[in-house]
Amino acid sequence: MNLESEKIDSHHLNGSLLKIYTYPAKILKKKAIPVKTFDDDLRTFIKDMLFTMYQAPGIGLAAPQVGRSERIFVIDIDYEREKIIDEDGKEAFKFHSFNPHVFINPKITKHDGEILYEEGCLSVPGVYEEVKRFENITVEYHDQWGELKTLTADSTLSVCIQHENDHLNGVLFIEKLSLIKRQLVTKKYLKNKDKK
Ligand code: CO
């Protein structure tokens, strides 16, 4: 590992832990608004989103999930989180291989193919179900500096982008299931949630 990636790695281990809203919170149903200003407030928020995603841990997090109804999401499908015992004999986590992606005002401009993929969501904890998605997508978006970018993705990254993009439109992955499956999953989820 070179010095540069060492620096980037430790950067993601600082930030504020944001509250993650879970289903059936109302904010998850709202259509998020576009980002207009690319300033330090935005970049601090994104840093906190990444920090929160890594600590959760999850591979994607959309702004509405942490209570901010704006068209932003972050993804990292590459990082690794390892359980270790620290000097005091306590359980801790060691992270490496961060590869964060930041998407602001994303638009899926091309898609083709079909893929079945087992998804989960930090806002619907404990639920994992297969969802049908496009296999390949092209997405246009802004980064945290306001620069316009284009990315072509397949497989896990493609599925993850579609899942997070749905959050910006108030759609959860469980809504992609058949009606029967969805009712079953929702009933079980709410029952478990009440117990907690
Ligand atoms: Co989600």
Side-chain angles (χ1 to χ4, degrees), residues 30-176:
K30 241 175 110 177
K31 190 176 157 81
I33 58 161
V35 170
K36 289 201 181 87
T37 317
F38 295 81
D39 57 6
D40 286 345
D41 169 69
L42 176 74
R43 286 181 283 275
T44 301
F45 176 62
I46 285 163
K47 185 178 157 76
D48 292 343
M49 278 184 78
L50 282 166
F51 179 74
T52 302
M53 178 184 78
Y54 289 129
Q55 298 299 323
I59 58 170
L61 185 69
Q65 292 181 274
V66 289
R68 191 154 148 170
S69 197
E70 289 184 64
R71 306 191 79 78
I72 307 164
F73 59 79
V74 296
I75 288 176
D76 190 337
I77 59 166
D78 296 312
Y79 77 99
E80 282 170 53
R81 181 178 178 263
E82 193 190 330
K83 202 184 250 181
I84 56 156
I85 304 296
D86 69 10
E87 306 94 73
D88 306 325
K90 274 193 247 148
E91 264 187 10
F93 292 98
K94 202 176 140 189
F95 293 82
H96 47 93
S97 311
F98 289 116
N99 185 20
H101 292 276
V102 175
F103 297 85
I104 301 168
N105 302 339
K107 275 194 185 84
I108 294 171
T109 54
K110 275 187 211 158
H111 58 77
D112 69 68
E114 226 176 69
I115 185 171
L116 262 183
Y117 204 96
E118 192 181 81
E119 298 185 19
C121 181
L122 293 173
S123 292
V124 199
V127 176
Y128 300 92
E129 292 292 337
E130 269 194 345
V131 176
K132 202 196 280 176
R133 300 278 186 187
F134 300 122
E135 184 164 19
N136 309 289
I137 60 158
T138 299
V139 60
E140 281 180 11
Y141 61 99
H142 287 91
D143 68 8
Q144 62 267 55
W145 307 98
E147 204 176 308
L148 188 63
K149 303 227 166 153
T150 305
L151 178 76
T152 298
D154 64 9
S155 188
T156 309
L157 185 57
S158 168
V159 167
C160 201
I161 291 168
Q162 292 170 75
H163 175 117
E164 299 311 328
N165 194 58
D166 274 353
H167 274 300
L168 307 185
N169 297 321
V171 175
L172 295 173
F173 81 106
I174 49 174
E175 292 171 62
K176 300 268 177 193

